[in-house]
Amino acid sequence: MNRKLVVFVPPEALDAVREALFAAGAGRIGDYERCSWYTEGTGTFLGGPGTSPAVGEAGEEERVPELRLETVFPSERQDDVVAALQRAHPYEEPAFDIYQLLS
């Protein structure tokens, strides 16, 4: 069964995160490789005490340009894909979702 990863990344980190995900086994659909989709948006966050935001200051709300990146991966690769994401992503706590696909 395949799953879909959705993650929010700063534009300058897009290529590094994609490369890490693909190396971990994500992005294959049939005979196609390196499949992904992304679009622009704005992320908001407020870091609490003890945080070290990659952008801005703890205790101040930030609004930053981000890309919503989506790709698929086989369910048995989930641990590797998540580990690769966390290593490659510049944020202290990257926001991501994983969805189980029906086909």
Side-chain angles (χ1 to χ4, degrees):
M1 180 83 37
N2 284 330
R3 297 190 175 160
K4 179 184 278 190
L5 170 71
V6 177
V7 60
F8 301 93
V9 300
E12 64 274 9
L14 177 66
D15 290 338
V17 171
R18 287 178 73 240
E19 291 299 328
L21 294 173
F22 297 154
R28 292 177 186 240
I29 300 174
D31 292 333
Y32 292 84
E33 296 182 24
R34 302 177 59 82
C35 300
S36 69
W37 182 84
Y38 64 90
T39 190
E40 297 177 357
T42 301
T44 66
F45 62 89
L46 188 148
T51 61
S52 293
V55 176
E57 302 291 327
E60 293 185 23
E61 184 175 357
E62 294 292 329
R63 295 169 194 248
V64 295
E66 290 182 321
L67 301 174
R68 176 186 170 118
L69 170 63
E70 300 185 21
T71 191
V72 295
F73 63 91
S75 57
E76 64 269 12
R77 302 293 302 168
Q78 181 168 320
D79 290 345
D80 294 328
V81 168
V82 171
L85 167 65
Q86 291 174 327
R87 281 192 306 272
H89 203 289
Y91 290 174
E92 187 176 27
E93 295 187 38
F96 66 93
D97 299 312
I98 294 176
Y99 301 95
Q100 186 166 326
L101 302 179
L102 298 177
S103 60

